[in-house]
């Protein structure tokens, strides 16, 4: 199985990095530093070691002026992780090492990890499930018709919010008329909830719209046909400018915005 000596010398932190890349797709040095709660220099050293051992690959775009390296697990790294899970009797996640990066990771998971790091004892991202694990969680609750991008449990100031998150990917289809673009693809974000015969066991459903116009369409749709679950929306632009726990979430029919932990209260 490749360089056995390198595998034997994998530290717990490097195992965690390998596991993260195998389950979440690609990541930058900063992403890894956030997940492992280490400095960027330490994350860089670990990633270089993993790369030189053949367990991860790296690439960067010639058009990226920051020259950021993006790391992903190799086939050998995937096999090493799969073997370790099997040997320990733990289940092997579906599509291990073959998952594309999730927009929910970049927009919500990693920023909330950083907020938790900056405010120890006050708030914490207690749990996060990636897309595949979220689908499994929904199936366990007989809600297989729903497709969410992530599931999380956010703790802050003694309060708890369990949520599902959906990311609007913009207009869908090969040919979309200009007048259809603001609403194209939005119906699929909420369709599963409208057909569900039970309340989804979360405190809130979070929708991240591609832009302000599409968020406005979502809000209008929710006012016309409210869902059984509490729903809050925001935009990518707001999440680029603010931390996701701040007042960036809008409830249907409300003029202002709420903090994350206040959604659903």
């Amino acid at each position: 199985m490749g360089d056995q000596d390198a595998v034997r010398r994998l530290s717990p932190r490097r195992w965690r990095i390998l596991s993260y890349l195998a389950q979440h797709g690609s990541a930058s040095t900063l992403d890894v530093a956030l997940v492992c709660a280490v400095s960027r220099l330490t994350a860089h050293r670990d990633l270089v070691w993993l790369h030189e051992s053949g367990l991860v690959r790296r690439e960067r775009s010639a058009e990226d002026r920051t020259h950021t390296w993006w790391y992903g697990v190799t086939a050998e790294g995937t096999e090493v992780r799969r073997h370790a899970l099997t040997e320990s009797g733990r289940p092997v996640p579906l599509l291990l090492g073959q998952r594309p990066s999730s927009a929910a990771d970049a927009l919500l998971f990693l920023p909330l990890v950083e907020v938790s790091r900056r405010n120890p004892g006050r708030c914490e991202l207690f749990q996060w499930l990636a897309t595949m694990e979220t689908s499994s969680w929904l199936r366990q609750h007989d809600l297989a018709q729903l497709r969410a991008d992530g599931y999380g449990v956010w703790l802050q100031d003694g309060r708890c919010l369990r949520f599902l998150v959906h990311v609007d990917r913009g207009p869908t289809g090969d040919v979309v008329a200009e007048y259809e673009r603001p609403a194209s693809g939005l119906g699929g974000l909420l369709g599963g909830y409208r057909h569900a015969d039970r309340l989804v066991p979360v405190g809130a459903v979070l929708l991240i719209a591609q832009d302000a116009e599409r968020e406005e369409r979502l809000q209008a749709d929710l006012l016309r046909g409210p869902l059984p679950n509490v729903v809050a929306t925001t935009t990518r632009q707001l999440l680029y400018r603010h931390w996701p726990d701040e007042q960036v979430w809008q409830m249907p029919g409300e003029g202002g915005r709420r903090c994350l932990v206040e959604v659903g209260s």
Side-chain angles (χ1 to χ4, degrees):
M1 191 192 301
D3 188 345
Q4 291 293 333
D5 183 57
V7 173
R8 284 193 295 270
R9 290 187 289 115
L10 275 170
S11 65
R13 188 174 63 241
R14 288 170 181 169
W15 272 116
R16 185 177 182 185
I17 294 171
L18 197 65
S19 176
Y20 178 77
L21 293 175
Q23 292 186 239
H24 291 260
S26 63
S28 68
T29 302
L30 179 57
D31 296 341
V32 170
L34 290 177
V35 170
C36 295
V38 296
S39 69
R40 293 180 68 172
L41 180 58
T42 297
H44 170 73
R45 288 171 176 166
D46 283 338
L47 286 165
V48 168
W49 188 94
L50 289 166
H51 177 254
E52 291 177 346
S53 299
L55 301 177
V56 306
R57 64 182 185 277
R58 67 181 186 182
E59 58 186 13
R60 58 186 176 189
S61 172
E63 300 175 356
D64 181 4
R65 295 182 180 180
T66 66
H67 305 294
T68 300
W69 285 111
W70 289 89
Y71 294 84
V73 67
T74 62
E76 181 179 358
T78 300
E79 186 55 34
V80 165
R81 185 63 186 147
R82 188 192 312 279
H83 180 75
L85 290 169
T86 302
E87 286 291 300
S88 64
R90 287 174 290 173
V92 177
L94 293 173
L95 298 180
L96 188 71
Q98 303 174 45
R99 302 184 183 185
S101 298
S102 168
D105 281 1
L107 291 167
L108 207 58
F109 169 65
L110 291 169
L112 285 177
V113 169
E114 175 65 1
V115 172
S116 303
R117 187 189 67 81
R118 294 184 178 204
N119 301 275
R122 180 172 177 265
C123 55
E124 178 186 0
L125 183 60
F126 181 75
Q127 184 180 12
W128 176 265
L129 299 181
T131 305
M132 293 295 296
E133 284 72 30
T134 297
S135 294
S136 177
W137 182 86
L138 287 167
R139 286 196 298 272
Q140 291 171 15
H141 289 85
D142 295 324
L143 294 164
Q145 76 276 14
L146 296 183
R147 295 289 184 271
D149 294 294
Y151 165 89
V153 179
W154 178 246
L155 307 178
Q156 182 175 337
D157 298 329
R159 301 163 71 180
C160 173
L161 176 69
R162 293 177 173 83
F163 62 83
L164 285 168
V165 59
H166 298 259
V167 179
D168 167 27
R169 288 166 175 76
T172 58
D174 297 331
V175 180
V176 180
E178 192 62 32
Y179 72 91
E180 296 176 325
R181 294 184 66 83
S184 176
L186 292 180
L189 292 175
L190 301 173
Y193 293 94
R194 299 201 186 284
H195 294 94
D197 58 0
R198 66 188 64 199
L199 189 69
V200 182
V202 292
V205 175
L206 306 179
L207 302 177
I208 302 175
Q210 190 176 66
D211 55 42
E213 183 177 11
R214 291 174 69 83
E215 183 188 25
E216 186 176 341
R217 296 284 183 126
L218 281 170
Q219 286 285 326
D221 185 33
L222 289 166
L223 281 174
R224 287 193 301 270
L227 298 186
N229 281 90
V230 171
V231 182
T233 66
T234 190
T235 67
R236 289 175 180 251
Q237 293 92 331
L238 283 171
L239 292 181
Y240 291 149
R241 296 199 302 264
H242 304 279
W243 294 109
D245 64 312
E246 296 176 348
Q247 292 178 315
V248 297
W249 301 98
Q250 185 175 19
M251 310 286 290
E254 292 188 3
R257 292 184 182 267
R258 298 191 186 191
C259 295
L260 178 60
V261 77
E262 295 173 348
V263 172
S265 62

